[in-house]
Amino acid sequence: MTVPCLYFAVTTDLNYDQRMQRICSSLAEAGYEVRLIGRQWNNSQPLVPQPYQQHRLQCWFQRGKLFYLEYNLRLLLYLLPRRAAVWCAIDLDTALPVWLRARLGGQPFVYDAHELFTEVPEVVARPAVQRVWRWVERFIVPRANLVYTVGPALARVFEERYGRPVEVVRNISRLSETALPPTPKAAPDAGYILYQGALNAGRGLEALLEAMPQVAGRLVICGEGDLSESLRAQAAALGLLASGQVEFRGFVLPDALREVTRNAGLGVMLLENQGLSYYYSLANKFFDYLHAGIPQVVVDFPEYRALNDQYDVAEIVPNLEPTTLAATLNYLLRDNPARYQQLAENCRRARRELSWQHEEQHLLALYTGLVDSKS
């Protein structure tokens, strides 16, 4: 019996894409032949071995319109001679060549929306660019055999726009006892504040740095992005680098990042309302913090509000003013250790229900149904 082959395409560096690592690993362990195609950056490290096949495409251009054009052409040329049972595009920037390859072969096409691509800040700020991506979205979403996304709110947006069902596969951490300290930390000894993720526009990082001189703790930032240089310059101007109150650690591989998160005392998730993609997001860092048993400070957006109403694992801030952020961070780290302890205990309970082991069952059912329908 032939093992079904599944192809997935992203524009990210495969070493750091935790959602795709979870998805591809689960499908490979379920018996599929899984191949993940990504992008080779100038500073990419050697690929970390995974239970599925990986391949990176090298491009002359690193960003902008020419990058997207080159990557899509290279991706199509790479996919044309390959054979698969299912072809899956992750976000709109890989969708057209993957759809075309599926169409040419008569196989199912899957669209996995990690975000509402037409509503990310970088696109919203450029109306002409947004019009192009909206055309791609209008073309792709109705033609997919299966569409799934990271949270219920984004699924509803797609359903309202295109009148079709959209499934939800949340970007939840895998339950692991090694990710959790043996006992909850006490607030005064909690450790550092942690931000993990891209250093891009709309992440609230400028306001967070502005707040740090008034915060009773230090901040560790893991990740890089478009704002890497400007954020480091801002931290230096505020004296935060010289004092050691802020540390930029750059890109951190997922296994090492889990250890960094495990040793943190508090996580932050401070997206700004710069488009529907951020407003309706459900970021993996929310679950990464929760699984490490650390409370977090989060924005008052629908998905985070709904989960926090149910599990009470975070303090929600009404705005991203530096004074608000400083007061909330100090409240947990210095002023109210009982509240800190309560949130930490709630994290340890919630992680049993909110785990990838539960989420992957739905993922596997979706692909089983798709493959079986074409066999």
Side-chain angles (χ1 to χ4, degrees):
M1 180 177 177
T2 303
V3 176
C5 180
L6 313 177
Y7 266 88
F8 296 83
V10 296
T11 58
T12 56
D13 188 319
L14 305 184
N15 279 342
Y16 304 98
D17 195 328
Q18 294 191 64
R19 176 171 170 85
M20 292 315 302
Q21 290 173 6
R22 280 190 279 268
I23 287 174
C24 292
S25 293
S26 291
L27 290 165
E29 289 162 5
Y32 294 101
E33 181 183 341
V34 179
R35 301 180 181 183
L36 177 60
I37 315 304
R39 171 185 180 184
Q40 177 80 30
W41 295 71
N42 290 335
N43 58 354
S44 289
Q45 300 300 308
L47 283 168
V48 175
Q50 300 288 353
Y52 50 86
Q53 296 184 41
Q54 305 173 86
H55 181 78
R56 286 168 168 163
L57 299 176
Q58 289 185 307
C59 294
W60 289 102
F61 300 98
Q62 294 297 304
R63 62 178 61 208
K65 300 180 184 67
L66 291 176
F67 160 71
Y68 287 115
L69 178 61
E70 180 187 9
Y71 186 84
N72 274 251
L73 288 172
R74 288 183 181 273
L75 178 59
L76 179 60
L77 291 173
Y78 180 83
L79 295 178
L80 280 175
R82 270 74 190 179
R83 298 291 180 268
V86 176
W87 307 86
C88 179
I90 285 75
D91 291 322
L92 293 182
D93 49 358
T94 66
L96 290 174
V98 179
W99 169 82
L100 181 56
R101 180 63 190 86
R103 180 66 180 271
L104 290 173
Q107 291 95 28
F109 167 67
V110 177
Y111 180 55
D112 177 355
H114 288 195
E115 57 192 354
L116 188 57
F117 199 90
T118 58
E119 299 291 339
V120 299
E122 298 88 345
V123 172
V124 172
R126 296 179 291 173
V129 172
Q130 188 181 44
R131 284 194 293 272
V132 172
W133 287 119
R134 282 181 172 171
W135 178 88
V136 176
E137 183 183 271
R138 287 193 299 270
F139 182 86
I140 286 296
V141 175
R143 288 170 170 79
N145 298 84
L146 168 67
V147 178
Y148 57 89
T149 189
V150 297
L154 283 182
R156 286 192 294 271
V157 172
F158 282 114
E159 288 171 349
E160 289 168 2
R161 285 186 179 183
Y162 299 106
R164 60 156 302 153
V166 175
E167 302 291 337
V168 174
V169 179
R170 293 179 296 179
N171 203 5
I172 299 182
S173 310
R174 181 174 289 279
L175 185 64
S176 169
E177 296 307 323
T178 61
L180 192 68
T183 57
K185 301 171 185 174
D189 305 316
Y192 44 79
I193 302 159
L194 174 64
Y195 171 83
Q196 54 165 281
L199 309 190
N200 289 341
R203 304 298 178 106
L205 294 169
E206 298 93 338
L208 179 60
L209 290 178
E210 197 68 32
M212 284 307 298
Q214 286 75 52
V215 174
R218 68 186 186 95
L219 171 66
V220 171
I221 297 176
C222 296
E224 297 288 358
D226 296 339
L227 300 184
S228 291
E229 292 184 11
S230 63
L231 290 172
R232 284 176 169 85
Q234 180 186 357
L238 291 167
L240 298 170
L241 298 184
S243 68
Q245 195 179 6
V246 171
E247 177 186 355
F248 290 84
R249 295 197 182 178
F251 287 119
V252 180
L253 290 171
D255 284 347
L257 182 59
R258 280 186 279 274
E259 185 65 18
V260 173
T261 308
R262 183 176 186 268
N263 291 317
L266 196 65
V268 291
M269 211 292 303
L270 304 173
L271 291 173
E272 301 172 35
N273 190 0
Q274 294 189 8
L276 294 179
S277 187
Y278 279 11
Y279 185 68
Y280 290 128
S281 68
L282 186 52
N284 67 293
K285 64 174 67 68
F286 179 91
F287 299 108
D288 289 348
Y289 299 148
L290 184 151
H291 271 251
I294 63 173
Q296 55 189 297
V297 174
V298 303
V299 290
D300 193 5
F301 288 177
E303 294 283 26
Y304 309 111
R305 167 65 70 177
L307 283 168
N308 203 54
D309 285 347
Q310 184 175 0
Y311 295 103
D312 191 27
V313 295
E315 284 294 317
I316 293 180
V317 290
N319 59 65
L320 298 184
E321 292 296 324
T323 52
T324 302
L325 297 180
T328 307
L329 293 168
N330 286 333
Y331 173 73
L332 291 178
L333 290 174
R334 181 191 65 196
D335 302 336
N336 196 332
R339 176 59 174 161
Y340 179 95
Q341 199 72 23
Q342 178 189 28
L343 293 176
E345 291 286 358
N346 291 346
C347 287
R348 299 170 83 91
R349 285 193 291 268
R351 66 197 295 274
R352 297 289 172 186
E353 296 181 29
L354 298 170
S355 75
W356 180 252
Q357 282 88 334
H358 293 152
E359 211 69 17
E360 73 176 346
Q361 298 307 311
H362 184 48
L363 173 79
L364 296 177
L366 292 175
Y367 276 90
T368 298
L370 200 60
V371 172
D372 288 350
S373 69
K374 297 297 180 180
S375 60

